[in-house]
Amino acid sequence: MTTDTEFKAWRVEEQNGEYVGAEKTLSTADLPPGEVLIRVSHSSLNYKDALSASGNKGVTRSFPHTPGIDAAGEVVESATGTPSTGSPVIVTGYDLGMNTDGGFGEYIRVPAAWCVPMPAGWNARTAMIYGTAGLTAGLCVQKLLTMGAKPEQGKVAVSGASGAVGSVAVELLSKLGFDVVAISGKADHAEALKALGAKEVVGRETLAEEKKPMVKPVFANAVDTVGGGPLAELLKQILPGGSVSCCGLVSGPGLQTTVLPFILRGVNLLGVDSVEIPLAEKEAVWKKFSGEWACPKIEASARDIGRGELDGALKAFLKGESSGKIVLDHAK
Ligand code: NDP
């Protein structure tokens, strides 16, 4: 057993009803019990971190709290032997950063069953460029492929395309040969989305509320990261037999639709969860991203920030103004 170590963490506290994040010094003795102590070098920014940092009780029940649903680093203590001390690991999802102190601190302590070995050829920063958002994009694409999606069937739409999940989905689908239509509210981001591989970039008005229960279908398949009204409209625009992978709720958790797309066109709505799925499923997707699914443009365009820049970066998520992948580098 090593001695307790002091470390820095970006900690959120409740102050007069407001939730305020700031750098604090903690000790590893402050971390929850668990089998594996990890020195975190990098984390990744996600919409859920922004919800936690703003006091959303559906994500984090009690404060003070260290957000960060993603972490990558080196094992410094292991009660189980697997993962072994000194090995590089990735931890995403489960309760990390929700009600268990997360990757915005330089140390985390978690169950061994949450740790994925770092894929060969990757380091912590590479893993955190993808993070939960990349993993989710990979799971969305994998579900479409499992349902038989093929490039020759027609265009694939990606909503929330400039976001963390959407941008990885755009590059991955384009790499797999699909004609990707990026749906984005950021007109000034069109060139960046084309550079990631989008064939077309259209505005969010493409999914504006339409009174008719069905409209002319245009997309063979889709990845939806926004939920709410835009997802209801997207379902009306899917060609017979097509599928929509649904993972997000930035536009709202409600979904008001009719059964018509499902019973007249055989459209499939596929739910995607990246958080509670078995570790082996996460590991399989990480392995693909470290090999044939590598997204070099996403890797090249990722932005690194230090803990001092977290506040502004997380607030941009809540305003829908964030774009691309953002990595937290604890050494910055
Ligand atoms: P981001 O904030 O990075 O991206 C979301 C994008 O959606 C924005 O960049 C914007 O893109 C668009 N958008 C924002 N607000 C609205 C709105 N009101 N209406 C329509 N579009 C909007 O978030 P992430 O990519 O990290 O996450 C996307 C969603 O996926 C979140 O809801 C998140 O909680 C969820 N998620 C779910 C996971 C799961 O396991 N199921 C795992 C990871 C994320 P643009 O300007 O290009 O339109």
Side-chain angles (χ1 to χ4, degrees):
M1 177 69 88
T2 52
T3 51
D4 295 329
T5 306
E6 281 199 343
F7 69 94
K8 303 284 184 204
W10 193 78
R11 196 98 171 131
V12 177
E13 290 179 355
E14 186 177 355
Q15 294 175 3
N16 306 319
E18 299 279 299
Y19 291 85
V20 180
E23 179 157 310
K24 300 277 166 174
T25 302
L26 302 180
S27 161
T28 50
D30 301 325
L31 292 172
E35 294 154 332
V36 183
L37 180 68
I38 297 164
R39 187 186 305 114
V40 178
S41 62
H42 295 80
S43 180
S44 177
L45 271 65
N46 290 281
Y47 187 78
K48 202 189 245 180
D49 298 320
L51 292 177
S52 171
S54 60
N56 184 305
K57 292 288 164 66
V59 177
T60 300
R61 284 187 300 273
S62 66
F63 294 84
H65 170 68
T66 308
I69 64 168
D70 291 341
E74 185 185 312
V75 174
V76 291
E77 266 179 52
S78 174
T80 58
T82 307
S84 58
T85 303
S87 61
V89 289
I90 306 172
V91 183
T92 65
Y94 303 119
D95 194 47
L96 188 72
M98 294 179 68
N99 294 293
T100 299
D101 282 344
F104 293 176
E106 292 173 308
Y107 282 82
I108 56 171
R109 192 182 280 118
V110 296
W114 292 7
C115 302
V116 174
M118 186 68 66
W122 266 16
N123 57 33
R125 178 177 182 269
T126 326
M128 291 295 97
I129 290 172
Y130 292 89
T132 284
L135 175 66
T136 305
L139 290 164
C140 286
V141 170
Q142 188 161 276
K143 278 222 167 161
L144 294 182
L145 297 176
T146 305
M147 292 303 290
K150 292 192 178 57
E152 57 270 27
Q153 292 165 343
K155 299 173 184 177
V156 179
V158 176
S159 63
S162 75
V165 177
S167 56
V168 178
V170 168
E171 182 170 358
L172 177 56
L173 284 162
S174 141
K175 179 178 182 136
L176 296 175
F178 289 90
D179 281 355
V180 178
V181 178
I183 302 173
S184 175
K186 299 185 188 82
D188 59 353
H189 218 75
E191 286 314 308
L193 286 166
K194 284 191 178 155
L196 284 179
K199 270 264 154 51
E200 284 173 60
V201 181
V202 297
R204 283 187 204 162
E205 62 280 2
T206 304
L207 301 179
E209 191 183 341
E210 173 71 60
K211 296 283 178 240
K212 289 185 259 175
M214 293 290 268
V215 296
K216 189 167 173 261
V218 280
F219 304 118
N221 296 287
V223 169
D224 176 70
T225 75
V226 305
L231 172 57
E233 293 307 317
L234 188 55
L235 288 166
K236 298 178 191 171
Q237 299 187 21
I238 301 296
L239 287 156
S243 301
V244 179
S245 288
C246 143
C247 69
L249 44 55
V250 289
S251 177
L255 180 60
Q256 283 200 308
T257 180
T258 70
V259 296
L260 297 182
F262 310 111
I263 65 173
L264 297 182
R265 293 186 182 148
V267 168
N268 307 296
L269 181 56
L270 314 171
V272 171
D273 166 40
S274 70
V275 178
E276 294 293 340
I277 54 171
L279 199 69
E281 286 180 35
K282 296 185 183 182
E283 201 171 343
V285 174
W286 290 127
K287 212 169 157 201
K288 283 192 173 171
F289 274 123
S290 69
E292 74 262 31
W293 278 10
C295 293
K297 294 167 190 161
I298 288 287
E299 291 185 24
S301 63
R303 191 157 57 90
D304 293 63
I305 63 167
R307 289 186 297 273
E309 296 159 272
L310 274 171
D311 192 53
L314 291 170
K315 285 181 174 144
F317 269 87
L318 292 181
K319 291 190 225 147
E321 289 171 359
S322 189
S323 62
K325 293 300 293 110
I326 307 173
V327 174
L328 171 67
D329 179 352
H330 280 295
K332 216 166 174 282

